[in-house]
Amino acid sequence: MSRQRNREVDLMLCAILLCLSDWSAAQISYSVSEEADKGTTVGNLAKDLNIHSQQLEERGFRIVSGYSKTFFEANLRTGALIVNDRIDREELCPNLPKCSLNIEGILSNPMNIYRIEVTILDMNDNAPSFLEQTHVFNISESSSTGERYPLPIAQDADTGSNAVKTYKLSPNEHFSIDVSSGGDSVSAELVLQKALDREKQPAIKLTLTALDGGKPIRSGTMQILVNVIDVNDNTPLFSKPLYKVRISENAPLGTTILKLNATDLDEGPHSDIRYFLMKNGNANSAVKFIVIPESGEITVKVPLDYEESNAYELRVQATDQGASPRSGYSKVLVEVVDVNDNSPEISITSLMSPVKESADIGTVVALVTVTDKDGGQNGLTKCNIEDTVPFTLKSNYKNYYSLIVNGFLDRETVSQYNVTITATDEGNPPLSSAAIITVHISDINDNAPRFPESNINIFVEENSKVGDIISRATAQDSDENENAKLTYSLIDNYPKSFPISTVVNINSETGDIVSLQSFNYEELNTFQFKVQATDSGVPPLSSNVTVNVLILDENDNNPTVLAPYSEHGSVNSESIPYSAEAGYFVAKIRAVDADSGYNALLSYHLSEPKGNNLFRIGTSSGEIRTKRRMSDNDLKTHPLVVLVSDNGEPSLSATVSIDVVVVESTADIQTQFRHVPIQEESFSDLNLYLLISIVSVSVIFLLSLISLIAVKCHRTDGSFSRYSAPMITTHPDGSWSYSKSTQQYDVCFSSDTMKSDVVVFPGPFPPVDGELISINGGDTFTRTQTLPNNDQVRVLQLYMTSFQSP
């Protein structure tokens, strides 16, 4: 791109200098062959311009051209104009007899411009070529000699003497070539020299060669295909004057006994042959057989009988479909052969079905008898079982057999067998017949019931109705009938403080598990028992499945405001100085919720009189702060109502009333709770003590958390119900909330000293709605929810941000 820009700049500079400057120009002409090697000398510029080569270098001589490539450059030391890039005359000047390149040579101080014309001389570097590889002529075999057919013209990118000069045709006996020249073009015609005969040569392949006048001569070829068009000048001819064929007397109707074959040397309709049976011959030949006109297949029309006639003579005719059709004739002799036309017959007697799957090897299943109406060798038979089955045939006497058990039977794998018995006689050719014996296998109670999974996890909402079907335990039994009829019962998994039969019941027939009481998540959140499935076989078989019941929390507890503030009963009071800045800490509302998860996630909202926008509250922290500084127009007492709402559906809430009194100085302020002062500019001793306290509490918390994990990892299944799913959350202001069943705690830290989020879900099973709640500094929160699965999973998710100093 930079070289292109330089050339454009040089051309523009030349144009400006030519128009505005005092310049001198000279015309120099050179010639060079195309495809000259790089570095080839075109001419001596220093000599032709009458300038010393040293001056060329001192005055900054350069070559300028408007072409995309720099074909030439000047050697400033020798003054020679040399080739710099590949030159292809056919690319630069396609289809032009003369090709020249105009370039400029520029000298500075003073400015001189020299026009240089370089004529590109053509080389014979391109061979003649045809636009198509094969050209087809369709010529009738009745065409007269001397007829002419124009041949395709070859193309040659070279010019002058290097262009196409003549054409040649490959040697053959039917065609010659006539070449004619007109101006700069050369053409050729194909001339028919000898009459064509399609039957001898249906297609003639020729090679047309185009030659140029270069040295050395180059050439290009193309294939000429002459298709000889047929005329009807040949009669159909059968492959044999007499056909002999043998056919069995029991040949089925439609059996092809012979396919006639006649050929016609013509083509198209002239060689399209149809076959016919002539009526002369045996009187009943046309009744017994029929020929298909298109294919020449002779087939049996009615049943044949050797005793009726042992031979038939047929006369056949083959006719083409020409305008003047021609016909050929032949004879067919059909010999009827007597064959073994009676197949063996199989009869089954005394079939013992069904057979128990526990039957011993050698147990007789059925008796088989084989008979054949033929006599002699054709009446002798042999019998065998075709398929691979746990049965075999035992010969009793001559053509009498017993079908007996020969392998292990399993009804659950194969409930019935279709045993194919084949009987074959010893005729020539042998005939055979087959019979299928269906053997049913009866069931025994050898399979215990199976549950699809080893554990069933059931999620039940608290406060659900008594008598609801909370799940269904379904087992499968591979046996059938009474052996597969199942009954269900409950089994206590471990010793409990209450019998499982007081909590749930099971339908013995359907396996429906029904609750016998309404569950309270805050009192009982998990329990476990077993369901046993027993079949009705003799003896009965049974299997168990463990059922884990997890109670889902419902938002049935209102938030409770913690001391020192009380809800509903009385109005609480707080004081702030008149000089309080924006963000001044007024009070902190703390509340807990006996529920769990989102039902225990609390948010705080502030209700003020209309027009009063002096205070704000952190939706997650519960801190009340001033939005702005006081003004003389503000009231001295501000009644505030704080609404504490949980995140359940529907949401439950509690309210607390606070009267904020504005006093003249900080000395008049008496409050019970001040934890979050305005951030100081310097790092005080109080901040240091507070940081040490936070670190200590965090270390204690982490040690407790590690201990809890260790206990969980070594806990046995017997302690299943001792742990629920506690949740510990923290807010940006530093408060921690802990919720587990009916317990919830809140720990307050300064929002300026610590920010952390901790969420813990320990438990033997996956939480019903495992959610990670992230609360940002803008008092907003997002959720990431994970649906429960059926596996017992202990989940511990811990997220803690780094400590920040004030």
Side-chain angles (χ1 to χ4, degrees):
M1 291 298 292
S2 60
R3 296 179 62 186
Q4 180 67 24
R5 293 194 189 98
N6 291 335
R7 285 194 295 269
E8 293 176 357
V9 171
D10 291 340
L11 289 174
M12 292 176 62
L13 180 61
C14 289
I16 294 172
L17 292 174
L18 287 173
C19 296
L20 302 178
S21 303
D22 183 13
W23 56 278
S24 62
Q27 177 74 38
I28 304 175
S29 297
Y30 295 110
S31 63
V32 65
S33 296
E34 64 170 329
E35 306 293 347
D37 296 334
K38 185 176 180 180
T40 301
T41 300
V42 179
N44 194 325
L45 291 171
K47 177 180 178 182
D48 296 335
L49 296 176
N50 197 19
I51 299 174
H52 196 274
S53 60
Q54 183 177 358
Q55 291 183 346
L56 293 177
E57 187 172 2
E58 291 175 352
R59 295 178 62 183
F61 183 82
R62 65 183 185 275
I63 299 297
V64 178
S65 71
Y67 301 99
S68 59
K69 294 182 180 180
T70 304
F71 293 104
F72 305 99
E73 68 176 7
N75 189 330
L76 301 182
R77 288 178 296 177
T78 62
L81 180 67
I82 61 176
V83 176
N84 184 55
D85 203 343
R86 176 179 176 269
I87 304 174
D88 186 356
R89 192 200 68 82
E90 287 75 30
E91 179 182 348
L92 294 173
C93 309
N95 303 320
L96 294 178
K98 180 180 180 181
C99 182
S100 61
L101 300 178
N102 294 315
I103 58 177
E104 287 79 28
I106 301 176
L107 280 174
S108 303
N109 301 321
M111 177 67 69
N112 289 87
I113 299 176
Y114 303 93
R115 294 182 177 176
I116 304 171
E117 180 185 30
V118 181
T119 301
I120 308 303
L121 303 178
D122 182 46
M123 295 181 61
N124 191 23
D125 56 347
N126 292 280
S129 63
F130 292 91
L131 297 179
E132 51 185 347
Q133 295 182 346
T134 304
H135 188 78
V136 179
F137 289 100
N138 294 315
I139 303 175
S140 174
E141 64 177 330
S142 61
S143 298
S144 303
T145 58
E147 291 189 5
R148 293 172 172 264
Y149 309 94
L151 291 171
I153 298 176
Q155 305 291 329
D156 195 323
D158 297 322
T159 60
S161 60
N162 295 327
V164 177
K165 293 300 181 183
T166 188
Y167 293 91
K168 290 184 179 180
L169 189 67
S170 59
N172 67 97
E173 60 177 341
H174 293 283
F175 295 96
S176 64
I177 188 172
D178 183 13
V179 181
S180 60
S181 300
D184 295 332
S185 63
V186 179
S187 61
E189 290 181 325
L190 191 67
V191 181
L192 181 62
Q193 297 290 339
K194 182 180 178 182
L196 302 174
D197 186 353
R198 193 206 61 81
E199 288 71 36
K200 292 183 179 179
Q201 192 173 4
I204 301 173
K205 293 183 179 179
L206 306 173
T207 301
L208 177 64
T209 304
L211 301 99
D212 62 19
K215 293 182 180 180
I217 297 175
R218 290 178 176 267
S219 63
T221 61
M222 181 182 69
Q223 297 298 319
I224 302 296
L225 177 62
V226 179
N227 292 324
V228 182
I229 306 303
D230 181 59
V231 294
N232 193 20
D233 55 351
N234 291 278
T235 300
L237 180 65
F238 281 97
S239 58
K240 294 180 180 180
L242 175 64
Y243 294 92
K244 292 182 179 182
V245 62
R246 292 165 58 89
I247 184 171
S248 300
E249 61 172 328
N250 60 349
L253 300 182
T255 300
T256 301
I257 64 171
L258 176 67
K259 184 175 182 179
L260 299 172
N261 182 24
T263 57
D264 193 316
L265 298 179
D266 297 322
E267 68 175 0
H270 302 152
S271 63
D272 187 7
I273 298 175
R274 297 291 184 270
Y275 299 90
F276 305 96
L277 283 179
M278 301 179 66
K279 292 184 179 181
N280 56 329
N282 286 9
N284 58 352
S285 297
V287 178
K288 296 290 186 180
F289 304 95
I290 189 174
V291 64
I292 300 175
E294 291 79 8
S295 63
E297 293 180 350
I298 300 176
T299 60
V300 178
K301 184 178 180 182
V302 296
L304 303 178
D305 190 355
Y306 175 83
E307 289 72 25
E308 178 185 343
S309 177
N310 61 358
Y312 297 93
E313 182 180 314
L314 307 176
R315 295 293 300 270
V316 291
Q317 174 183 338
T319 304
D320 63 26
Q321 302 299 302
S324 298
R326 293 171 175 259
S327 299
Y329 305 92
S330 183
K331 184 184 295 184
V332 179
L333 180 61
V334 181
E335 181 183 355
V336 180
V337 179
D338 186 28
V339 295
N340 179 28
D341 54 355
N342 291 285
S343 300
E345 296 180 359
I346 302 173
S347 60
I348 309 298
T349 59
S350 304
L351 177 61
M352 292 75 168
S353 181
V355 179
K356 285 188 177 182
E357 59 179 326
S358 58
D360 296 331
I361 294 177
T363 301
V364 177
V365 177
L367 298 179
V368 180
T369 304
V370 180
T371 59
D372 195 315
K373 294 179 180 180
D374 295 324
Q377 194 72 16
N378 294 333
L380 300 178
T381 61
K382 54 184 178 180
C383 195
N384 64 289
I385 296 176
E386 290 290 329
D387 305 320
T388 302
V389 291
F391 303 98
T392 187
L393 281 175
K394 178 183 177 182
S395 178
N396 297 330
Y397 174 75
K398 291 187 179 180
N399 295 336
Y400 297 91
Y401 303 88
S402 295
L403 181 66
I404 62 174
V405 176
N406 191 41
F408 174 73
L409 302 179
D410 185 7
R411 189 206 63 82
E412 288 72 35
T413 303
V414 181
S415 61
Q416 75 173 36
Y417 292 91
N418 293 322
V419 182
T420 302
I421 298 177
T422 302
T424 306
D425 62 25
E426 297 184 10
N428 187 19
L431 297 178
S432 63
S433 60
I436 297 177
I437 302 177
T438 300
V439 181
H440 296 276
I441 310 300
S442 62
D443 183 54
I444 63 172
N445 192 26
D446 57 347
N447 291 279
R450 286 188 178 183
F451 288 94
E453 296 179 351
S454 59
N455 291 279
I456 299 176
N457 294 329
I458 304 175
F459 299 92
V460 182
E461 293 185 358
E462 69 170 325
N463 303 320
S464 59
K465 294 181 181 180
V466 176
D468 283 353
I469 297 176
I470 61 176
S471 184
R472 172 175 290 180
T474 303
Q476 303 293 332
D477 196 312
S478 300
D479 297 321
E480 65 177 359
N481 300 328
E482 290 298 317
N483 296 330
K485 185 178 180 181
L486 304 180
T487 57
Y488 300 90
S489 59
L490 295 178
I491 302 176
D492 282 346
N493 195 15
Y494 297 103
K496 297 285 184 177
S497 58
F498 59 90
I500 198 64
S501 59
T502 63
V503 181
V504 294
N505 192 18
I506 189 168
N507 188 313
S508 61
E509 295 182 358
T510 64
D512 290 339
I513 301 174
V514 181
S515 62
L516 297 180
Q517 68 177 33
S518 181
F519 299 102
N520 187 349
Y521 175 85
E522 288 71 32
E523 295 178 359
L524 176 67
N525 51 28
T526 59
F527 63 91
Q528 189 180 64
F529 59 91
K530 284 188 176 181
V531 173
Q532 184 178 73
T534 306
D535 62 27
S536 301
V538 180
L541 301 177
S542 63
S543 63
N544 301 333
V545 65
T546 300
V547 180
N548 304 309
V549 181
L550 294 90
I551 310 303
L552 306 181
D553 181 48
E554 187 180 64
N555 192 25
D556 55 352
N557 292 279
N558 291 79
T560 302
V561 179
L562 300 179
Y565 302 103
S566 60
E567 52 179 315
H568 302 302
S570 61
V571 176
N572 303 276
S573 178
E574 292 287 349
S575 300
I576 61 173
Y578 178 78
S579 60
E581 297 289 339
Y584 182 82
F585 178 83
V586 178
K588 178 176 177 66
I589 308 301
R590 296 178 300 165
V592 295
D593 196 310
D595 293 319
S596 174
Y598 281 117
N599 297 330
L601 181 63
L602 304 181
S603 60
Y604 301 84
H605 306 278
L606 190 61
S607 175
E608 294 183 84
K610 292 185 178 179
N612 189 344
N613 59 350
L614 182 58
F615 301 97
R616 62 179 173 85
I617 188 170
T619 56
S620 60
S621 65
E623 290 184 356
I624 302 175
R625 294 180 181 270
T626 58
K627 288 184 179 179
R628 56 178 174 79
R629 295 191 61 181
M630 299 289 178
S631 67
D632 295 337
N633 295 329
D634 291 327
L635 300 175
K636 298 304 181 181
T637 301
H638 299 269
L640 304 180
V641 177
V642 179
L643 177 67
V644 184
S645 303
D646 60 26
N647 203 43
E649 292 183 2
S651 177
L652 301 179
S653 62
T655 59
V656 60
S657 299
I658 299 177
D659 287 344
V660 181
V661 181
V662 180
V663 298
E664 293 299 329
S665 65
T666 58
D668 300 330
I669 300 177
Q670 295 180 357
T671 183
Q672 299 175 356
F673 191 81
R674 287 291 182 269
H675 291 289
V676 189
I678 301 299
Q679 182 175 348
E680 298 178 0
E681 295 297 330
S682 62
F683 190 83
S684 65
D685 293 339
L686 179 60
N687 290 343
L688 178 61
Y689 298 149
L690 184 58
L691 179 59
I692 294 174
S693 300
I694 292 172
V695 173
S696 301
V697 173
S698 301
V699 171
I700 293 172
F701 171 74
L702 290 176
L703 292 176
S704 302
L705 189 60
I706 294 172
S707 300
L708 178 61
I709 296 173
V711 171
K712 286 290 185 178
C713 292
H714 293 84
R715 182 174 60 85
T716 62
D717 293 340
S719 58
F720 171 81
S721 61
R722 276 194 280 169
Y723 299 100
S724 60
M727 173 182 286
I728 302 176
T729 61
T730 66
H731 303 294
D733 60 345
S735 63
W736 291 16
S737 295
Y738 172 82
S739 172
K740 175 183 177 184
S741 297
T742 58
Q743 304 178 52
Q744 183 161 347
Y745 303 93
D746 193 285
V747 182
C748 180
F749 295 95
S750 169
S751 62
D752 295 328
T753 59
M754 175 181 175
K755 292 184 179 180
S756 63
D757 286 334
V758 182
V759 180
V760 184
F761 295 102
F765 302 107
V768 177
D769 293 303
E771 298 165 313
L772 173 62
I773 303 171
S774 177
I775 304 176
N776 55 34
D779 295 328
T780 61
F781 61 89
T782 58
R783 306 181 186 175
T784 301
Q785 182 170 0
T786 305
L787 296 177
N789 54 39
N790 294 328
D791 299 327
Q792 296 185 6
V793 181
R794 294 183 175 92
V795 180
L796 173 61
Q797 185 170 356
L798 174 61
Y799 168 72
M800 178 176 289
T801 60
S802 60
F803 291 101
Q804 299 179 354
S805 61

